[in-house]
Amino acid sequence: MKIGIIGSGGMAKALAGKWSSKHQVMLSGRDLEKASGVAAEIGASAGSAQEAAGFGEVVVLATRWEDVFSGIDSAGGPDAFQGKVVIDINNPVSIETFLTTREDDRSLTQAIADHLPGAHVGKAFNMAQVAVWEDEDMTYDDRQMVTLYTADESADSVIAELIRDVGADALRLGGNEHAYQLEAAAAIVIKFLFAGRDPQTIFNFIQPEVKAVR
Ligand SMILES: NC(=O)c1ccc[n+]([C@@H]2O[C@H](COP(=O)([O-])OP(=O)(O)OC[C@H]3O[C@@H](n4cnc5c(N)ncnc54)[C@H](OP(=O)(O)O)[C@@H]3O)[C@@H](O)[C@H]2O)c1
């Protein structure tokens, strides 16, 4: 699969670092030299946001949540996302109040889907901290980590595959009408992270039974 990532920060690096052994991945950023340096460390390539969106059959929105729509603009606007699977990993959460920051009744994921009518959208990877996604072995107490996600039917199988490719199991919560639940749950995770809890212990869904894992 060809994966373009808008961003080259902590989450982009953690996910791309896992995907690059199996997929072709292009990172991006406003500072191309910085993005190229990150890409070189993990066996990915780097380009502008427009190049990353053009490259990917899958495009991951991995700026800070405040920059998601400016990132989409940098990539060329909604036309650049036509027919692509778009993964929203962002948590619109205030780190002062630990409440979600959405001002209308749509989740960020639904606002993205409304803005990109030609894309197949889902939300994933938002429920654990970057240190967890960097873990080589996503098994805890011999059980595989489970990642909740939401997706349009048309994005479901691709997003599930990319979750499995980072070493987690994929559990679909439903369509993107459920994304607000993932965003609100992430606010709880972030509150406890900021209070000093171990990232691996917060909402770490695991398989109910010990089983052979990769
Ligand atoms: N960190 C976590 O533990 C974690 C966990 C789950 C979900 N998330 C979510 O994941 C998202 C990314 O988090 P992060 O920690 O990876 O953030 P980060 O390290 O701050 O990275 C943000 C990236 O976005 C790039 N960027 C910003 N505006 C851009 C634009 N217009 N075009 C292209 N690239 C742009 C930045 O690069 P330049 O400055 O070079 O442009 C930077 O590489 C956030 O929304 C967060 O809520 C984070």
Side-chain angles (χ1 to χ4, degrees):
M1 231 182 277
K2 287 184 167 180
I3 304 169
I5 304 187
I6 311 302
S8 45
M11 284 295 286
K13 184 180 177 188
L15 297 174
K18 298 266 184 82
W19 288 330
S20 62
S21 59
K22 180 174 173 190
H23 304 288
Q24 291 173 264
V25 187
M26 183 185 287
L27 304 181
S28 65
R30 291 165 295 193
D31 180 341
L32 187 52
E33 201 177 321
K34 197 169 78 183
S36 300
V38 175
E41 284 180 52
I42 55 170
S45 61
S48 65
Q50 204 159 4
E51 286 167 334
F55 174 84
E57 300 155 82
V58 177
V59 184
V60 181
L61 302 176
T63 63
R64 295 182 316 155
W65 64 266
E66 297 96 321
D67 299 325
V68 164
F69 290 99
S70 67
I72 289 171
D73 287 345
S74 312
D79 286 350
F81 294 83
Q82 286 283 342
K84 300 187 186 257
V85 170
V86 173
I87 307 180
D88 166 31
I89 69 166
N90 302 280
N91 285 318
V93 172
S94 161
I95 55 168
E96 283 160 17
T97 62
F98 302 107
L99 296 168
T100 60
T101 57
R102 297 294 306 154
E103 285 171 2
D104 60 29
D105 60 2
R106 292 175 304 169
S107 62
L108 176 61
T109 310
Q110 283 185 300
I112 292 166
D114 290 346
H115 191 62
L116 304 177
H120 312 293
V121 176
K123 186 174 205 88
F125 307 108
N126 75 309
M127 290 277 290
Q129 208 246 355
V130 67
V132 174
W133 301 115
E134 283 169 344
D135 264 358
E136 278 303 316
D137 179 6
M138 301 193 79
T139 60
Y140 305 100
D141 295 335
D142 293 328
R143 299 176 195 203
Q144 188 177 22
M145 176 165 152
V146 174
T147 295
L148 292 175
Y149 69 103
T150 66
D152 290 344
E153 296 284 349
S154 56
D156 186 7
S157 60
V158 168
I159 294 178
E161 180 182 343
L162 290 176
I163 290 171
R164 290 192 290 269
D165 287 343
V166 301
D169 203 0
L171 183 60
R172 184 170 179 257
L173 180 60
N176 291 321
E177 67 277 15
H178 290 276
Y180 81 95
Q181 294 171 306
L182 292 185
E183 293 174 6
I188 302 172
V189 173
I190 292 166
K191 180 167 186 172
F192 286 118
L193 280 173
F194 273 71
R197 286 284 295 262
D198 175 349
Q200 294 180 346
T201 68
I202 308 167
F203 273 14
N204 177 15
F205 289 94
I206 52 175
Q207 288 284 0
E209 293 166 14
V210 177
K211 65 171 194 175
V213 286
R214 281 184 288 268

